[in-house]
Amino acid sequence: MPSDQLLATVSALKNGLTSLPLGSAMDNTETWQQQFLQSSEPGLQDIAREIGNLQSLLTSGALSANAIGNSLTMLGNQTSQISAGAAADLKKPLFELADLLRRHGSELLAHADKKKKK
């Protein structure tokens, strides 16, 4: 997994979900998905499948904060699991990516929950 791409993804997510143009987000997720699908590691293939799910949610036309939040949280959890066995130079950015994905996922879920209660 290219560390430049990993650092660019972490940097983009630090700016918040809405700062990412949808086209850029889709290109980024597509690149990751293709790399992970070609991997022989089941954990990476699981992430690729969840990325595919996220892409479907983002392009469905009816964005669901709840569904997208759950997908981001799942990706964060999966990334955290993968980071444990990653090369030393990738561990820190992978942990950071996992935390960012879970944080953004939690924020979307909290937002969806607030909307339900109104």
Side-chain angles (χ1 to χ4, degrees):
M1 134 182 6
S3 62
D4 286 352
Q5 183 184 359
L6 175 58
L7 295 174
T9 301
V10 169
S11 178
L13 284 173
K14 278 183 180 176
N15 292 326
L17 291 178
T18 56
S19 70
L20 285 171
L22 185 57
S24 296
M26 294 303 286
D27 289 347
N28 195 337
T29 57
E30 182 69 27
T31 301
W32 283 115
Q33 185 184 35
Q34 290 309 312
Q35 288 176 4
F36 291 166
L37 282 173
Q38 294 167 9
S39 167
S40 59
E41 287 187 51
L44 292 179
Q45 291 176 349
D46 289 344
I47 291 174
R49 282 189 283 281
E50 189 56 40
I51 288 172
N53 178 49
L54 178 61
Q55 289 171 327
S56 296
L57 294 170
L58 292 174
T59 57
S60 70
L63 297 178
S64 163
N66 201 40
I68 294 169
N70 282 327
S71 181
L72 290 172
T73 302
M74 170 70 81
L75 283 168
N77 291 338
Q78 291 172 322
T79 302
S80 181
Q81 290 172 355
I82 289 297
S83 66
D89 63 326
L90 297 177
K91 278 187 190 288
K92 185 175 185 249
L94 281 171
F95 277 126
E96 191 171 8
L97 177 59
D99 286 344
L100 284 165
L101 288 166
R102 286 190 289 230
R103 186 170 358 127
H104 288 311
S106 294
E107 288 169 0
L108 280 173
L109 290 169
H111 177 74
D113 195 40
K114 274 188 209 164
K115 282 182 104 172
K116 264 193 243 173
K117 289 180 179 174
K118 283 188 176 180

